[in-house]
């Protein structure tokens, strides 16, 4: 079973559903807008795919269940996909909006005949009833960009190992993945979907001239639509003259415009003070607090990986505006009373 602690103890399977040979791996859970809880997993009970769901051959399959906080079943143990093909899911791959949730998973093969994994998502209401079929991310993004189907910058990332997928609780989902570089470093792309599955915007995380070579990105999205992406970027170390991965972040406004340059998440892990890799960041944004964790190899006390943590305060949706004007041969700077100045202004 998949025990999840909350108001009580709820499970993703009952005893009978957990009995078939093979394992179940939890792939996320979320509270829904109506108070229900959705629990997502990958089932490696391959024969159960045939015996329970009627698939032609044994295989892995993504499953979900919706329950109340008291454990009452609202939507029983069900397949995520609308098909009976092999599906996989890994990590935290469920996002929530006010009218339901979306689960991201991999579907094999990609529809272009390449045999590569295609990122896919499906929409559900707050009681777990499907609202859509399987939506191929490569095809949806390709249609939005006008490039045709199978655009890899929108649908890469496999079963979720190198993908961030989250909802803002209101009207949008964010997806961040590495471009068509499955299993190796590559540029990261961020896509925001509306609650109906249409694309709001799609863009590379970095601006022209900024570094962008990552393996494991993640993202968080606020109810107002702002997004923060974090990733373990491959940055040339100015200390040792080699390359090591460091955690960087970037914020976007609700329309996908950059709200500033890439920034180092850690003050102790920059090109100037570490030559060790720091990888696999995860981010969460709640109210006015942003927290990032990652696997760090920079501890001065051990050579083993440790968990790094950095917590930020939220910033205003619109940064303060600095104004300058000439007066009697002087330059006069003015800014809102709510803005603060670090150091002195002259």
């Amino acid at each position: 079973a998949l025990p999840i602690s909350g108001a009580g103890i709820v499970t993703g399977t009952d005893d009978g559903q957990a009995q078939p040979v093979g394992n179940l791996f939890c792939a996320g859970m979320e509270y829904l807008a109506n108070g229900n809880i959705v629990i997502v997993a990958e089932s490696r009970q391959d024969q159960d795919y045939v015996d329970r769901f009627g698939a032609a051959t044994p295989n892995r399959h993504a499953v979900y269940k919706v329950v109340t906080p008291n454990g009452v079943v609202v939507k029983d143990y069900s397949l995520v996909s609308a098909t009976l093909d092999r599906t996989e899911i890994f990590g935290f791959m469920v996002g929530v909006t006010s009218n339901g949730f979306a689960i991201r998973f991999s579907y094999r093969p990609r529809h272009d005949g390449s045999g590569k994994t295609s990122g896919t998502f499906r929409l559900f209401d707050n009681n777990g009833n499907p609202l859509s079929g399987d939506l191929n991310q490569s095809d949806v993004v390709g249609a939005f960009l006008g490039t045709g189907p199978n655009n890899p910058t929108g649908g890469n990332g496999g079963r979720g190992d190198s993908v961030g997928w989250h909802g803002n609780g209101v009207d949008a989902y964010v997806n961040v993945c590495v471009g068509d570089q499955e299993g190796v470093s590559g540029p990261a792309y961020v896509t925001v979907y509306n609650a109906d599955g249409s694309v709001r915007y799609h863009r590379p995380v970095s601006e022209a001239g900024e570094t962008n070579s990552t393996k494991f990105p993640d993202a968080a999205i606020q109810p107002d639509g702002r997004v923060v992406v974090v990733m373990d970027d491959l940055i040339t170390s100015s200390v040792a003259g080699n390359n090591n991965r460091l955690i960087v972040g970037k914020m976007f406004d609700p329309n996908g415009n950059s709200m500033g340059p890439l920034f180092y998440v850690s003050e102790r892990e920059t090109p100037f003070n570490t030559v060790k890799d720091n990888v696999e960041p995860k981010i969460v944004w709640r109210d006015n607090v942003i927290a990032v964790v990652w696997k760090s190899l920079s501890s001065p006390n051990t050579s083993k990986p440790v968990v790094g943590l950095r917590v930020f305060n939220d910033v205003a949706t619109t940064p303060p505006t600095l104004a300058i004007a000439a007066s009697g041969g002087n330059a006069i700077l003015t800014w809102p009373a709510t803005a603060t100045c670090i150091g002195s202004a002259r």
Side-chain angles (χ1 to χ4, degrees):
L2 305 172
I4 306 294
S5 60
I9 300 295
V10 298
T11 61
T13 61
D14 60 31
D15 288 342
Q17 292 160 347
Q19 286 302 313
V21 175
N23 296 317
L24 286 158
F25 295 89
C26 190
M29 63 84 66
E30 278 279 15
Y31 274 98
L32 304 177
N34 63 354
N36 289 336
I37 300 169
V38 57
I39 307 170
V40 183
E42 178 185 286
S43 173
R44 297 184 182 179
Q45 299 170 327
D46 292 3
Q47 184 60 40
D48 201 41
Y49 207 14
V50 177
D51 299 341
R52 182 185 305 276
F53 296 111
T57 58
N59 229 322
R60 295 180 182 182
H61 45 290
V63 294
Y64 74 101
K65 189 174 187 177
V66 177
V67 298
T68 70
N70 295 322
V72 177
V73 175
V74 177
K75 181 71 172 181
D76 209 351
Y77 190 69
S78 302
L79 294 176
V80 172
S81 176
T83 75
L84 290 176
D85 294 294
R86 173 188 175 112
T87 55
E88 296 177 289
I89 189 168
F90 183 83
F92 196 101
M93 290 290 111
V94 56
V96 172
T97 58
S98 61
N99 65 341
F101 61 94
I103 300 173
R104 186 208 174 277
F105 56 100
S106 71
Y107 172 98
R108 295 183 183 274
R110 191 182 287 174
H111 295 163
D112 60 0
S114 67
K116 292 183 178 181
T117 298
S118 175
T120 305
F121 67 99
R122 194 179 186 193
L123 306 173
F124 303 84
D125 68 20
N126 284 311
N127 293 317
N129 301 306
L131 296 175
S132 74
D134 295 348
L135 301 173
N136 182 299
Q137 290 181 292
S138 297
D139 292 351
V140 172
V141 168
F144 173 77
L145 296 175
T147 61
N150 307 308
N151 188 304
T153 64
N156 205 17
R159 60 184 184 169
D161 302 65
S162 55
V163 173
W165 175 264
H166 302 282
N168 69 352
V170 180
D171 62 357
Y173 303 100
V174 63
N175 182 90
V176 61
C177 68
V178 182
D180 197 21
Q181 300 287 328
E182 192 165 320
V184 299
S185 300
Y189 289 81
V190 58
T191 308
V192 170
Y193 296 91
N194 297 306
D196 63 3
S198 60
V199 176
R200 183 176 297 181
Y201 69 81
H202 171 82
R203 56 160 292 161
V205 171
S206 297
E207 307 292 345
E210 289 183 330
T211 181
N212 190 348
S213 180
T214 184
K215 279 190 176 180
F216 297 101
D218 195 19
I221 182 168
Q222 271 286 78
D224 64 16
R226 286 175 297 153
V227 167
V228 174
V229 173
V230 291
M231 56 188 184
D232 51 354
D233 201 66
L234 192 62
I235 297 174
T236 301
S237 170
S238 62
V239 175
N242 62 358
N243 292 333
N244 58 291
R245 295 194 173 278
L246 297 172
I247 309 303
V248 297
K250 193 175 183 72
M251 179 178 279
F252 303 93
D253 72 15
N255 297 314
N257 301 306
S258 174
M259 295 183 68
L262 287 172
F263 60 89
Y264 295 111
V265 169
S266 173
E267 60 188 0
R268 297 183 177 181
E269 296 170 351
T270 74
F272 307 100
N273 55 23
T274 183
V275 297
K276 302 290 184 66
D277 276 334
N278 302 279
V279 297
E280 300 177 29
K282 297 294 180 184
I283 184 171
V284 64
W285 192 348
R286 294 292 183 269
D287 298 326
N288 66 338
V289 175
I290 301 169
V292 184
V293 296
W294 66 94
K295 184 166 71 176
S296 172
L297 291 172
S298 298
S299 171
N301 302 316
T302 178
S303 60
K304 298 182 181 298
V306 298
V307 176
L309 167 67
R310 189 81 189 273
V311 179
F312 300 87
N313 288 326
D314 188 6
V315 298
T317 302
T318 303
T321 300
L322 183 70
I324 184 170
S327 176
N330 296 316
I332 307 298
L333 299 177
T334 58
W335 55 85
T338 55
T340 59
C341 177
I342 299 176
S344 60
R346 299 182 185 277

